[in-house]
Amino acid sequence: AVLEVFILAYRPPKDALLVEPEVSYFRDDILLGRQNLPLLLSSGGDPHFISGKYSFELRLFLPESTNGSTRMVLVFPQISGSSLEVFIDGEKLGSRGDPASGQSSIWNSIHQFCLPEGLPAGLHFLEARIQGTYEAGIVAIPYVVEADTNSLRLFLLDFFTNYSIWLSIGCILIVSLIVLSMGFFNEKSRTANLLLGLAGLAVSVFLTDFVYIERLPMSLVAFKKLVVALRHFSVACFTIAYLRLLAKGLSLAAKAFVALQLACFVLVIVYPGDIVAIKRLYSITFLGFIPSLLYLLYKVIRHTAETGDLSILLFGILVVFLSAGRDIVVMVILRPEGFILISHYGFIVLALSSCVFVVNDSLRQYRNLAFERERAAAFREEALRDELTGCYNRKLLPFVTDNLAKPYSLLVFDIDDFKRINDRFGHETGDAVLKELVRMAGRNIRSHDYIVRTGGDEFLIILRSCPLKIACFLAERLVAEASSFVMTLPPGRVGEGGAGAGTVPDPGAPSQSAGAASREATDSMLRFTVSMGIASCAGERVSTQEEFASTLRGADAEMYRAKNQGKNRWCAAGLEDRPSLVQNGA
């Protein structure tokens, strides 16, 4: 019942005027008989079929209600043959395909012909001339509808029977090429991807048998051989590819089914007969799809029940199995006078679902890979970070110095008399001072600069794309901010240091000076200062490891020069005579 949805488009609307079902049919003007529609004369079921020009004479009765209707359309939902010419009362309405040679593909498309304007009510005689190369017939009853009220339906019918298949061919071609290219780069599922891509390309060519082609680029025999052979080739490729996706080997049964499809592929290609013989041959080889598709369906159902990860593949296999099975039963076994083939829609679903599965699977693998890369990057970032302050540690330097572009500047600094702070206030307070210093530095630099803790209280700032003048300005701000910072200690923190803390005054006594270079706390307040050295590496190219090491040594020497000049200041390489911008004790 579900498959009947594909056939609904071919049925006439409720307001349609049906052509009278009785038809007289001729071959080369010789009367062959009379019977009711649908009517199919085919070489597949009639060993005495003869190729030629077949004529079908029908009658159409227009009621009085159609008088004055100016836009009436005669619709042939589907015919069998290579060309179609339609006449009404001896006047030609139009033609489809190539009546002269029959080198066309028109059989699966809807055919619409506008009736003459002002056609009177009453009985009219229709004639459909069909070029029957291997079959001829009218497999769906023609009807007449009013064009304006049925314009959307006629468009959708035309789209469904022709343009939708062209659209599917284009989609399958694009996705198949993507899957093929993925097969070259994905070693894990290379065979499956390559075979699915080849199967998709084969299906896209096979589907051209179901679209309207005014004139074929090759003989009808060669065209039919090509599309039928590729249908078998695609099933062989799908079978191997699906088993690869299921991580299954080729069992004896699988090899037999694949061999059967490949044998049909070769047989159709090399068969020497004419178009009638080819038609009879592929009516038989069509039966070979059932065991192959049934085996593949069994494997996919079993794997899906176990893992639940192949539902989209199961959907594609199920649709093609049901649609192909229905067509085989109808065309080969029941052989009615008229029927609509739907297996090509099943192959469209199979090809698209297979390609979508591969693309989704690759995207899933890419997402997993991206996640692993992000996690590895997070682990590496964590390894490069200083656990206490959150800034970088020395492990960062090899990564930065490998591609550090000039100009850049380095700021080397430490806390003046940091050991005294640890001894007097304890290591917990010293840690808090280090954290605060890193926060200060972060507020004074750009997001793409680096703060590196190189030792206990020693730090390095790498200023990318920064000349010496701007580096000095940043150093001035950082030294000034540090000297003006006051840390309020909780009660009981003063004098809680470890070794050396015995010299700390009583909290109630006035604090003693810790020297000009370091601001000490009175009771519950703590101050600190920093000394900083600056060096810059000018130029335009990428810096070498040797240049970075030399610049770092220069900045380190400038820091010691700042300490020797009284601390709480910065000094820069190349600016020996310039006075400090931060005055001691500010």
Side-chain angles (χ1 to χ4, degrees):
V2 175
L3 297 178
E4 292 298 316
V5 173
F6 292 105
I7 308 175
L8 288 176
Y10 296 94
R11 294 178 179 173
K14 294 181 179 180
D15 60 343
L17 300 174
L18 299 181
V19 171
E20 292 186 5
E22 187 179 35
V23 59
S24 300
Y25 54 100
F26 304 78
R27 184 187 68 244
D28 300 329
D29 298 326
I30 299 175
L31 179 64
L32 299 179
R34 294 183 177 87
Q35 71 174 71
N36 287 342
L37 296 176
L39 171 61
L40 176 64
L41 307 172
S42 173
S43 58
D46 182 6
H48 304 292
F49 179 86
I50 301 174
S51 299
K53 180 79 74 173
Y54 287 79
S55 297
F56 299 84
E57 293 184 354
L58 309 101
R59 293 182 298 178
L60 170 66
F61 183 80
L62 296 179
E64 292 292 336
S65 59
T66 62
N67 270 338
S69 298
T70 58
R71 289 178 54 81
M72 303 293 290
V73 177
L74 173 63
V75 179
F76 283 80
Q78 193 176 89
I79 62 102
S80 290
S82 301
S83 68
L84 172 65
E85 295 178 282
V86 178
F87 300 81
I88 184 168
D89 299 331
E91 180 182 349
K92 186 174 181 177
L93 296 181
S95 64
R96 301 277 281 176
D98 181 16
S101 63
Q103 298 297 110
S104 309
S105 179
I106 71 167
W107 65 274
N108 189 60
S109 300
I110 180 178
H111 307 292
Q112 305 181 39
F113 303 92
C114 292
L115 295 180
E117 294 185 7
L119 198 65
L123 186 62
H124 298 273
F125 295 92
L126 297 174
E127 180 184 4
R129 297 177 186 174
I130 297 176
Q131 182 72 34
T133 51
Y134 59 92
E135 61 185 14
I138 302 175
V139 297
I141 298 179
Y143 56 87
V144 173
V145 292
E146 212 285 322
D148 293 334
T149 57
N150 290 275
S151 57
L152 178 59
R153 179 185 180 89
L154 293 175
F155 167 77
L156 292 177
L157 180 56
D158 199 19
F159 179 84
F160 179 74
T161 61
N162 189 34
Y163 298 112
S164 67
I165 302 176
W166 277 119
L167 183 61
S168 300
I169 291 173
C171 292
I172 294 173
L173 274 175
I174 294 173
V175 180
S176 297
L177 291 175
I178 294 175
V179 171
L180 268 177
S181 63
M182 292 167 58
F184 288 107
F185 299 104
N186 190 344
E187 185 175 353
K188 181 180 178 181
S189 57
R190 175 171 297 166
T191 302
N193 287 3
L194 292 176
L195 288 174
L196 284 177
L198 290 175
L201 294 178
V203 168
S204 64
V205 177
F206 155 67
L207 290 175
T208 58
D209 188 33
F210 296 85
V211 296
Y212 179 85
I213 302 177
E214 183 76 22
R215 182 178 293 275
L216 294 170
M218 60 186 75
S219 69
L220 186 60
V221 173
F223 177 73
K224 285 294 182 180
K225 281 187 172 185
L226 177 64
V227 296
V228 173
L230 288 178
R231 180 170 57 181
H232 291 286
F233 178 77
S234 68
V235 173
C237 289
F238 278 126
T239 302
I240 302 175
Y242 275 33
L243 292 177
R244 291 285 187 180
L245 292 175
L246 300 177
K248 307 288 185 182
L250 285 179
S251 63
L252 183 61
K255 292 178 180 178
F257 293 132
V258 171
L260 173 62
Q261 297 305 318
L262 293 178
C264 292
F265 167 77
V266 174
L267 180 61
V268 172
I269 290 293
V270 303
Y271 195 71
D274 59 8
I275 186 63
V276 173
I278 294 297
K279 168 64 178 177
R280 291 169 180 162
L281 174 65
Y282 72 70
S283 295
I284 298 174
T285 62
F286 201 8
L287 293 170
F289 287 118
I290 290 296
S292 297
L293 294 176
L294 186 60
Y295 172 79
L296 201 54
L297 181 62
Y298 163 74
K299 286 292 186 180
V300 175
I301 289 177
R302 183 173 179 181
H303 188 84
T304 304
E306 295 173 355
T307 64
D309 61 347
L310 294 177
S311 55
I312 189 169
L313 294 184
L314 176 60
F315 174 73
I317 287 289
L318 186 60
V319 171
V320 76
F321 174 77
L322 293 176
S323 59
R326 178 262 183 195
D327 283 359
I328 290 172
V329 171
V330 171
M331 184 176 72
V332 181
I333 300 176
L334 299 180
R335 294 182 180 179
E337 290 294 339
F339 58 91
I340 305 296
L341 293 177
I342 61 173
S343 57
H344 55 292
Y345 295 110
F347 276 94
I348 290 174
V349 173
L350 176 65
L352 290 177
S353 63
S354 302
C355 293
V356 168
F357 171 81
V358 170
V359 173
N360 283 339
D361 185 63
S362 298
L363 290 176
R364 178 179 57 81
Q365 294 181 21
Y366 174 79
R367 286 192 295 268
N368 291 339
L369 179 62
F371 173 75
E372 292 298 329
R373 286 179 176 175
E374 289 178 1
R375 187 164 65 171
F379 288 154
R380 188 181 72 174
E381 181 76 9
E382 184 177 350
L384 296 177
R385 291 286 181 177
D386 176 58
E387 185 176 354
L388 174 64
T389 63
C391 69
Y392 289 104
N393 56 37
R394 296 184 65 91
K395 295 178 182 179
L396 174 74
L397 297 182
F399 297 100
V400 175
T401 57
D402 276 344
N403 59 352
L404 188 58
K406 304 175 187 177
Y408 62 88
S409 297
L410 302 181
L411 278 60
V412 175
F413 60 97
D414 67 4
I415 300 175
D416 297 324
D417 301 312
F418 182 66
K419 184 177 183 304
R420 186 184 297 272
I421 295 177
N422 275 335
D423 291 343
R424 176 165 182 168
F425 300 104
H427 289 280
E428 185 178 350
T429 300
D431 291 345
V433 171
L434 293 175
K435 295 177 185 178
E436 183 59 40
L437 180 59
V438 169
R439 283 194 287 268
M440 288 181 188
R443 291 193 294 268
N444 285 279
I445 65 173
R446 300 161 298 181
S447 60
H448 60 272
D449 295 327
Y450 300 101
I451 307 174
V452 183
R453 186 182 181 190
T454 56
D457 66 318
E458 298 174 356
F459 294 89
L460 164 68
I461 295 179
I462 303 174
L463 300 172
R464 304 173 64 182
S465 303
C466 181
L468 182 61
K469 183 177 180 180
I470 297 178
C472 292
F473 173 74
L474 294 176
E476 170 70 17
R477 289 200 312 186
L478 181 57
V479 172
E481 184 173 350
S483 65
S484 62
F485 177 77
V486 177
M487 177 180 289
T488 301
L489 301 177
R493 177 68 59 84
V494 181
E496 291 181 358
T503 60
V504 178
D506 184 271
S511 64
Q512 56 185 353
S513 174
S518 180
R519 308 287 180 107
E520 295 188 0
T522 58
D523 294 331
S524 61
M525 302 183 66
L526 180 145
R527 299 174 182 269
F528 66 90
T529 62
V530 297
S531 296
M532 184 172 296
I534 310 167
S536 182
C537 185
E540 296 181 354
R541 293 181 295 180
V542 175
S543 175
T544 63
Q545 294 278 0
E546 292 75 13
E547 289 175 320
F548 182 85
S550 176
T551 308
L552 182 59
R553 286 193 297 269
D556 193 58
E558 293 301 314
M559 182 188 71
Y560 284 104
R561 187 158 72 93
K563 287 187 177 295
N564 292 333
Q565 290 183 4
K567 304 180 182 178
N568 188 26
R569 67 188 65 231
W570 57 267
C571 290
L575 298 177
E576 290 82 356
D577 299 330
R578 180 174 177 176
S580 172
L581 300 179
V582 177
Q583 297 301 321
N584 207 13

